[in-house]
Amino acid sequence: INSLSTIPSLPTAAVEAVRLLNNPEVSISKLTKTIEYDPALTSNILRMANSSYFGAPRQISSLKQAIVRLGTSNVFRLVVASAISPMVSKSVKGYDLPAGELWNHSIAVAICADYLGKALKIDFPGYIFTAGLLHDIGKVVLGNFSNINTEEILKIAMSRNASFDEAEMLVLGIDHAEIGALLLESWNLPKTISEIVRWHHYPEYYKGDQIAIALVHVANNLILKVGMGVGKEGLKYRISDKMLSVLNLTKDITEKVLIDTMDDLKELTSKVASDEDGGI
């Protein structure tokens, strides 16, 4: 927990943009001016806004145009995605994840959770994409900013037939989900998002919207099962039968969602390219 203080905060422009976006009556002009103070953030938002995933009918050339056309909900997604990309794109040593792997996994879970909700034709909150994007941010804390011994965690997971997050808790007294939620709270992100991050491996304990936690929990497990974001811990995670029943998933829907996710993933991740040093 002490290592949280050593982690860089979100860029100033992103912090202010998130604050403004939490106000439903936000001024578009003020939001545009805030984001424009950060050229890298502006550039990334424009590139991502022009991806097929966000459905722009034609190229968007100005930031204000992007905000008006996409709406504040999508702009919130883009601000957070662009702001965390330098951190999440780096290799995560403690979890043996090469550069770009956690970023690809995080984006894939966000897209998959979104597509699951749409494919199932259910009402789900607009923050699902962002919660999916941030669900594993705690791995950056434990893997790069804390001296954790993942070999010991893996040994306990194997010997006790425990999930990796259960073994983390046994060894460290905390798991990557909880430390991730604490980080997001320190960034003043909405509690609805940090709480889903906190309970994405233990969705039965989540007291909020069951559809919301089910979408992120199931999407995370689906993306892990296709081999994206699997580090030292392998597939030592458990999918909740209760969450599967909440969504009433079918094999056909699952296959279609995964196909759609992979189709959009490559384009969307290429819109925000970060190198190993965190440059955008």
Side-chain angles (χ1 to χ4, degrees):
I1 292 174
N2 287 336
S3 70
L4 289 175
S5 62
T6 68
I7 297 172
S9 183
L10 296 177
T12 303
V15 171
E16 179 60 14
V18 166
R19 187 188 69 79
L20 290 172
L21 286 162
N22 280 325
N23 177 3
E25 298 179 3
V26 59
S27 161
I28 299 300
S29 295
K30 188 171 184 179
L31 180 59
T32 302
K33 286 181 180 178
T34 297
I35 295 174
E36 282 178 340
Y37 280 118
D38 189 325
L41 182 59
T42 300
S43 174
N44 280 331
I45 287 175
L46 284 171
R47 285 188 303 205
M48 293 178 77
N50 283 309
S51 69
S52 60
Y53 175 79
F54 287 100
R58 60 184 176 82
Q59 286 290 105
I60 295 172
S61 58
S62 75
L63 181 61
K64 186 171 184 179
Q65 186 182 20
I67 292 172
V68 171
R69 182 175 296 174
L70 295 173
T72 55
S73 179
N74 277 333
V75 172
F76 184 92
R77 298 175 176 188
L78 295 173
V79 167
V80 174
S82 179
I84 70 160
S85 65
M87 182 188 301
V88 182
S89 294
K90 294 180 179 180
S91 60
V92 186
K93 299 177 180 65
Y95 290 85
D96 197 28
L97 291 167
E101 186 67 15
L102 183 57
W103 172 244
N104 288 339
H105 172 78
S106 300
I107 284 282
V109 170
I111 296 172
C112 184
D114 211 31
Y115 275 145
L116 276 173
K118 292 172 181 174
L120 292 167
K121 296 182 171 64
I122 52 180
D123 290 330
F124 62 97
Y127 55 77
I128 286 301
F129 182 95
T130 307
L133 182 72
L134 296 170
H135 75 285
D136 268 350
I137 192 74
K139 285 186 176 180
V140 176
V141 182
L142 294 181
N144 285 348
F145 291 90
S146 303
N147 295 318
I148 63 168
N149 183 355
T150 50
E151 296 299 333
E152 185 180 354
I153 296 171
L154 278 171
K155 190 183 298 181
I156 286 183
M158 298 300 291
S159 64
R160 303 193 184 189
N161 194 28
S163 63
F164 190 80
D165 43 283
E166 289 170 339
E168 277 182 329
M169 191 67 74
L170 287 168
V171 174
L172 306 173
I174 198 167
D175 65 4
H176 67 273
E178 184 175 359
I179 201 75
L182 291 172
L183 177 63
L184 299 184
E185 288 172 13
S186 74
W187 287 349
N188 294 315
L189 289 186
K191 193 171 182 64
T192 48
I193 293 173
S194 65
E195 283 294 289
I196 286 182
V197 169
R198 169 68 185 93
W199 299 111
H200 74 272
H201 285 303
Y202 298 97
E204 294 86 356
Y205 291 97
Y206 181 64
K207 303 301 183 185
D209 188 326
Q210 291 298 286
I211 292 292
I213 191 71
L215 289 172
V216 174
H217 172 78
V218 171
N220 180 47
N221 279 274
L222 290 177
I223 297 303
L224 284 171
K225 284 185 183 300
V226 299
M228 188 170 293
V230 178
K232 278 185 178 179
E233 71 270 35
L235 295 177
K236 293 294 291 183
Y237 291 109
R238 292 176 181 153
I239 192 163
S240 165
D241 290 334
K242 180 182 177 182
M243 294 300 106
L244 288 173
S245 65
V246 166
L247 297 182
N248 195 24
L249 263 182
T250 65
K251 182 180 179 182
D252 287 345
I253 288 178
T254 300
E255 289 178 351
K256 183 181 186 308
V257 164
L258 285 174
I259 290 170
D260 290 343
T261 297
M262 294 306 147
D263 283 346
D264 279 348
L265 178 64
K266 187 174 182 181
E267 182 195 8
L268 194 56
T269 52
S270 71
K271 295 295 181 181
V272 180
S274 300
D275 62 24
E276 186 69 3
D277 295 321
I280 298 179

